[in-house]
Amino acid sequence: MASGWFYLSCLLLGSLGSMCILFTIYWMQYWRGGFAWNGSIYMFNWHPVLMVAGMVVFYGGASLVYRLPQSWLGPRLPWKLLHAALHLMAFILTVVGLVAVFTFHNHGRIANLYSLHSWLGITAVFLFACQWCLGFAVFLLPWASVWLRSLLKPIHVFFGAAILSLSIASVISGINEKLFFSLKNTTRPYNSLPSEAVFANSTGMLVVAFGLLVLYILLASSWKRPEPGVLTDRQLLLQLRPGSQPFPVTYVPVTGRQPYESW
């Protein structure tokens, strides 16, 4: 039952993530004129799409790799590589999104990094870069000791959730900022709640829902990776499937939160 709820949550998460990206694309295409890469306002339109895709959807999905029950058995290296690759893809999308907004600002002689939205966003991106480098150097490369990994893992996990939270705050403030700038000189200003404002606000609520669901899955104790050498109820079912290769472990029913362990 617990595994069923997990996969149902993942299905809902995938649907929410896809809707976040598609809604942002539709907003930029239908109300803001579409996309280009020439320094114009249409180049800016890539920024919200790529930041939502990279810093929220791909980042959130990459954070949940170790919650998959299939990752609890067998070698960990393929899952480490998948975790790192998805985060790298998220970072690449994020960097392209930053290039789009900085190029647009410089082309139009607009100041950079003056708003709270930009401060939140650049802080999240900076922490993301540090987080990825730390994860690659300590948890993916084989030189680090078990003691060092055990020491740094709680910090790595905390900043993973913190970066996602900062990203969501940055997206929400960015949507609000974009609406203020775009609808302040129109026949239907933002405070009259035109259709564009309703749609953009709804997109923001989807982003919040996606982020909250990711954080819930990350924090749910029953879905955490079990302690090494200990076989949980659901892990036992995975191992007893036809064709699986059993290995010697200690079976302990798990009812509470598991302590951190080395990757």
Side-chain angles (χ1 to χ4, degrees):
M1 178 62 71
S3 296
W5 279 112
F6 174 81
Y7 288 115
L8 182 61
S9 298
C10 288
L11 179 62
L12 177 59
L13 193 70
S15 300
L16 284 173
S18 300
M19 290 174 66
C20 288
I21 297 174
L22 292 175
F23 271 46
T24 310
I25 292 174
Y26 185 81
W27 177 24
M28 294 296 108
Q29 181 67 46
Y30 183 78
W31 277 286
R32 296 293 110 208
F35 303 91
W37 198 265
N38 55 8
S40 68
I41 186 62
Y42 305 116
M43 182 174 183
F44 171 87
N45 291 344
W46 284 109
H47 175 67
V49 173
L50 293 172
M51 301 310 282
V52 168
M55 288 299 294
V56 177
V57 177
F58 271 78
Y59 184 92
S63 301
L64 300 179
V65 166
Y66 293 109
R67 295 298 181 267
L68 291 170
Q70 290 84 351
S71 71
W72 298 353
L73 299 174
R76 297 181 182 181
L77 182 59
W79 299 101
K80 289 184 179 182
L81 292 173
L82 178 61
H83 182 71
L86 288 175
H87 272 123
L88 181 60
M89 177 61 67
F91 188 73
I92 291 172
L93 292 174
T94 299
V95 170
V96 177
L98 288 179
V99 170
V101 68
F102 277 103
T103 302
F104 164 69
H105 280 188
N106 294 335
H107 187 268
R109 291 182 171 82
I110 301 172
N112 291 304
L113 301 177
Y114 64 89
S115 66
L116 178 59
H117 158 68
S118 61
W119 289 12
L120 287 171
I122 207 66
T123 299
V125 173
F126 174 75
L127 291 176
F128 185 12
C130 296
Q131 174 90 333
W132 195 91
C133 292
L134 174 68
F136 180 82
V138 175
F139 298 111
L140 189 59
L141 298 181
W143 68 271
S145 65
V146 173
W147 175 85
L148 180 60
R149 293 182 181 185
S150 299
L151 177 67
L152 293 180
K153 184 182 177 183
I155 300 173
H156 189 70
V157 172
F158 168 78
F159 274 101
I163 291 166
L164 179 62
S165 300
L166 282 172
S167 300
I168 294 170
S170 179
V171 167
I172 298 306
S173 60
I175 290 174
N176 216 26
E177 185 178 286
K178 179 63 175 176
L179 289 173
F180 276 128
F181 286 149
S182 301
L183 300 178
K184 64 181 180 180
N185 294 320
T186 60
T187 56
R188 293 197 64 192
Y190 187 21
N191 59 8
S192 68
L193 202 62
S195 57
E196 179 180 357
V198 173
F199 188 87
N201 289 344
S202 300
T203 303
M205 294 302 295
L206 285 174
V207 170
V208 171
F210 177 88
L212 290 177
L213 184 55
V214 171
L215 293 175
Y216 173 76
I217 295 175
L218 286 174
L219 296 175
S221 59
S222 59
W223 293 338
K224 289 181 180 291
R225 178 197 290 273
E227 184 180 358
V230 174
L231 193 62
T232 65
D233 297 321
R234 281 167 289 132
Q235 201 172 1
L236 179 64
L237 293 176
L238 285 173
Q239 188 177 351
L240 294 178
R241 290 183 308 176
S244 61
Q245 296 295 324
F247 54 91
V249 290
T250 303
Y251 170 63
V252 177
V254 175
T255 57
R257 181 176 178 177
Q258 294 299 304
Y260 289 116
E261 78 283 350
S262 60
W263 286 22

